[in-house]
Amino acid sequence: MKTIQLNSRPVGIPKLSDFKFVSEEQEKIADGEMLLKASYISVDPYLRGRMMEGKSYIEPFELNKAISSGMIAEVMESKLNGFSKGDFVSGMLAWKEVQVSNGEGLLKVDAQKAALSSYLGVLGMTGLTAYFGLLEIGKPKAGETVVVSGAAGAVGGIVGQIAKLKGCRVVGIAGSDEKVNQLVSEFGFDAAINYNTSENMTQAIAEACPNGVDVYFDNVGGEISDGVMMNVNRFARIIVCGAISMYNATSVPMGPRVQPILIKNSVLMQGFIVSNYMEKFGEAIPQLAKWLQEGKLTSTETIVKGFENTPQAFIDLFEGKNKGKMIVKI
Amino acid sequence: MKTIQLNSRPVGIPKLSDFKFVSEEQEKIADGEMLLKASYISVDPYLRGRMMEGKSYIEPFELNKAISSGMIAEVMESKLNGFSKGDFVSGMLAWKEVQVSNGEGLLKVDAQKAALSSYLGVLGMTGLTAYFGLLEIGKPKAGETVVVSGAAGAVGGIVGQIAKLKGCRVVGIAGSDEKVNQLVSEFGFDAAINYNTSENMTQAIAEACPNGVDVYFDNVGGEISDGVMMNVNRFARIIVCGAISMYNATSVPMGPRVQPILIKNSVLMQGFIVSNYMEKFGEAIPQLAKWLQEGKLTSTETIVKGFENTPQAFIDLFEGKNKGKMIVKI
């Protein structure tokens, strides 16, 4: 069985040669363990950070060891209470076709209740990231204007839809006309901006947000965010969720200092990771599931087939080749 | 009687020629008004922002009109209920030796209870800014490390002392050895850094804060703050109170983008102005007065004498010539 390891730490945009496929002998399970077969692998921009050395909120990946991310796996064999052959589990797992687990950090998921892949998306870390970032930090009020960058990405699309459910005017920023059209026609955004064809982001945001920006859910950072910052209202809340525009930077990214804007308008900027809200996952998942069942949340996925295509799927994130959640189906 | 008007909008560091002295005839008071004689004028870095054109949280000063700031004045004559000759009042007033007021926004202050100038300092906007920024945004917990920039300035000295009262390790940043020594010996800071003699702020902060930085009260912005940002702990809170290092900038100040640090460590940055907390002034002022009376808060003032020296006192703020609160005594 095959595993995908980190071959070298990427410099700039990751390359296929930063990954390697290694064959390993299949391990045997002991009492209290189970054997898992990978079903779906979630590839996410934040993994880029773990490929670098240095202190972060989670340990960096080690060279010549398997990469890990959110995955759905099927139980092949179990000597672990509560897990039986044929069950599906969700959690952080290694990029291995088959692996042994003691069940730590894994949740059983119900393939009858929702599509398995949705446990990596709307009902998984993606949905929870959107939910807690927007509601706990952004605290949007009906009638306010919410701007989302990376709006056609996995988290962004859900953020915008939840903001609409809360009665806000929602403006998305994405990288193609196709994405921008989808945001308005399928996801119900009030307006959307193609940053690749907008010459002046500050002006484009001003036109799309005649009452200014109250909440900004930022997945990208960089010049797109500079344009949004020029339009924030007094007491605006900026949710700093991701900075995909900087993840491949090879020097410290520079930009306009934000402090004068924060002071002038009493603005809040808050970085977060979804696990900060772990205690509240139990209240959020049923709410997200309810919205999904009621058709109030539309989930978009880009499904790539084949374990061997996992590294390329990850690399494609940085060119925005995904619409919604990027998932590898094994 | 004389008034000080804005003669031209400063470019870079304000110059004396940006101000002008104009003689005006003394106004007569009508019913519901009183005549005030200036006693003390507070000069503050934030006034620099009001000298520029453009939208801010308060209106810009108009050219050829009197500048205004926090002042203490004495009632010379009154046809206004509640105010009598010999009373002292505090509030936003014009830079005029004598002026007419209807009392709006003015508070009577008691010259017996505390030195009049302290109503501009510890018991005024300065103390309230320190109090609310630190306690409402910073929420320091005993044992945490609090870093204050502009620590020998009006707000910074009070911030550090309140943080000590809350049981924190307090590290100040200031611009001379004399100031640094005063912070430790008079104000009880645990350590202080002279940014003018520190070659590497990131390293200087790391050495002064072996457990990292939990709360950063930022009065200055710029490279000093970049060094602090490199040392923030998970869940750090950054109070963005002032950015004196940027107030005289003639182009948009650039620096390392903060978003990656905010995400990595789930950091909060919050800009504010003291009037956001106006509803709570009534609880804060007695607390500040109590600490002052008990000797738990030491207030430092730099008193400049003479109405005619007001513009120069303001200009001197940007070279750090003040220790503590800069006040002009008429």
Side-chain angles (χ1 to χ4, degrees), chain A residues 226 253 255 257 266-267 269 271 276, chain B residues 226 253 255 257 266-267 269 271 276:
Chain A
D226 297 342
R257 292 185 180 277
S266 294
V267 173
M269 281 180 92
N276 299 349
Chain B
D226 297 340
R257 292 185 180 277
S266 294
V267 173
M269 281 181 94
N276 298 350

Side-chain angles (χ1 to χ4, degrees), chain A residues 55-57 222 226 234-235 240 242 246 253-257 260 262-264 266-272 276, chain B residues 55-57 222 226 234-235 240 242 246 253-257 260 262-264 266-273 276:
Chain A
K55 208 173 96 176
S56 183
Y57 52 87
D226 297 342
R234 211 164 158 224
F235 300 121
V240 189
M246 304 184 217
M254 306 290 278
R257 292 185 180 277
L262 301 192
I263 297 170
K264 188 186 282 191
S266 294
V267 173
L268 172 139
M269 281 180 92
Q270 169 83 64
F272 80 108
N276 299 349
Chain B
K55 205 174 97 177
S56 183
Y57 53 87
D226 297 340
R234 206 160 163 228
F235 299 122
V240 189
M246 303 182 218
M254 305 290 279
R257 292 185 180 277
L262 302 191
I263 297 170
K264 189 187 280 192
S266 294
V267 173
L268 171 139
M269 281 181 94
Q270 169 83 63
F272 80 109
I273 54 169
N276 298 350

Side-chain angles (χ1 to χ4, degrees), chain B residues 124-282:
Chain B
M125 290 303 149
T126 303
L128 291 166
T129 300
Y131 183 95
F132 289 110
L134 180 66
L135 301 182
E136 294 279 328
I137 301 171
K139 297 186 172 68
K141 292 187 278 283
E144 288 191 321
T145 298
V146 176
V147 172
V148 191
S149 62
V155 171
I158 300 172
V159 167
Q161 293 177 80
I162 298 176
K164 284 303 299 177
L165 288 169
K166 297 292 175 185
C168 298
R169 173 175 174 79
V170 177
V171 175
I173 306 172
S176 74
D177 285 345
E178 188 193 352
K179 286 177 177 178
V180 156
N181 291 337
Q182 185 194 32
L183 291 175
V184 175
S185 61
E186 283 180 42
F187 288 176
F189 281 50
D190 296 286
I193 296 166
N194 178 350
Y195 66 83
N196 277 316
T197 56
S198 289
E199 283 184 19
N200 182 327
M201 275 306 295
T202 302
Q203 198 183 320
I205 295 285
E207 283 165 13
C209 306
N211 297 320
V213 178
D214 300 298
V215 176
Y216 174 41
F217 195 107
D218 188 5
N219 290 302
V220 305
E223 290 177 16
I224 290 172
S225 297
D226 297 340
V228 180
M229 291 294 286
M230 295 303 289
N231 288 283
V232 290
N233 287 334
R234 206 160 163 228
F235 299 122
R237 288 82 72 196
I238 298 173
I239 304 126
V240 189
C241 178
I244 195 171
S245 72
M246 303 182 218
Y247 289 163
N248 293 317
T250 51
S251 60
V252 176
M254 305 290 279
R257 292 185 180 277
V258 297
Q259 287 87 345
I261 294 173
L262 302 191
I263 297 170
K264 189 187 280 192
N265 292 308
S266 294
V267 173
L268 171 139
M269 281 181 94
Q270 169 83 63
F272 80 109
I273 54 169
V274 66
S275 57
N276 298 350
Y277 300 98
M278 207 176 286
E279 289 161 17
K280 294 183 173 180
F281 283 3

Side-chain angles (χ1 to χ4, degrees), chain A residues 130-283:
Chain A
Y131 183 94
F132 288 110
L134 181 66
L135 301 182
E136 294 279 327
I137 301 172
K139 295 186 173 69
K141 291 188 278 284
E144 287 191 322
T145 298
V146 176
V147 172
V148 191
S149 62
V155 172
I158 300 172
V159 167
Q161 293 177 79
I162 297 177
K164 283 305 297 177
L165 289 169
K166 298 291 174 184
C168 299
R169 173 174 175 81
V170 178
V171 176
I173 307 172
S176 74
D177 284 344
E178 188 192 352
K179 287 177 177 178
V180 155
N181 291 338
Q182 185 192 33
L183 291 175
V184 175
S185 60
E186 284 181 40
F187 289 176
F189 282 49
D190 296 286
I193 297 167
N194 178 351
Y195 66 82
N196 277 317
T197 55
S198 288
E199 281 183 19
N200 182 328
M201 274 307 292
T202 302
Q203 198 184 319
I205 296 286
E207 283 164 13
C209 306
N211 297 319
V213 178
D214 300 298
V215 176
Y216 174 41
F217 196 107
D218 187 7
N219 289 304
V220 306
E223 290 176 17
I224 290 171
S225 296
D226 297 342
V228 180
M229 290 294 284
M230 295 302 289
N231 289 283
V232 290
N233 287 335
R234 211 164 158 224
F235 300 121
R237 289 82 71 195
I238 298 172
I239 302 126
V240 189
C241 177
I244 195 169
S245 73
M246 304 184 217
Y247 289 163
N248 294 316
T250 50
S251 59
V252 177
M254 306 290 278
R257 292 185 180 277
V258 296
Q259 287 88 346
I261 293 172
L262 301 192
I263 297 170
K264 188 186 282 191
N265 291 309
S266 294
V267 173
L268 172 139
M269 281 180 92
Q270 169 83 64
F272 80 108
I273 53 171
V274 66
S275 57
N276 299 349
Y277 300 97
M278 206 176 288
E279 291 161 17
K280 295 183 173 180
F281 283 4
E283 71 184 56

Side-chain angles (χ1 to χ4, degrees), chain B residues 25-101:
Chain B
E25 262 187 60
Q26 191 167 313
E27 297 172 72
K28 293 267 177 346
I29 60 170
D31 278 346
E33 293 183 336
M34 57 183 167
L35 197 66
L36 300 174
K37 191 177 87 174
S39 305
Y40 293 93
I41 297 176
S42 171
V43 292
D44 306 278
Y46 82 88
L47 297 171
R48 179 66 181 82
R50 295 195 64 188
M51 293 175 187
M52 296 190 279
E53 272 180 308
K55 205 174 97 177
S56 183
Y57 53 87
I58 33 177
E59 286 299 297
F61 294 127
E62 287 181 55
L63 285 174
N64 308 313
K65 294 238 169 128
I67 292 165
S68 58
S69 71
M71 289 175 57
I72 305 290
E74 186 179 353
V75 179
M76 312 282 295
E77 190 189 342
S78 177
K79 294 184 180 178
L80 177 59
N81 278 342
F83 295 85
S84 312
K85 187 169 190 291
D87 283 349
F88 286 95
V89 297
S90 162
M92 291 298 286
L93 288 166
W95 288 8
K96 296 181 175 192
E97 290 176 303
V98 175
Q99 62 197 284
V100 171
S101 167

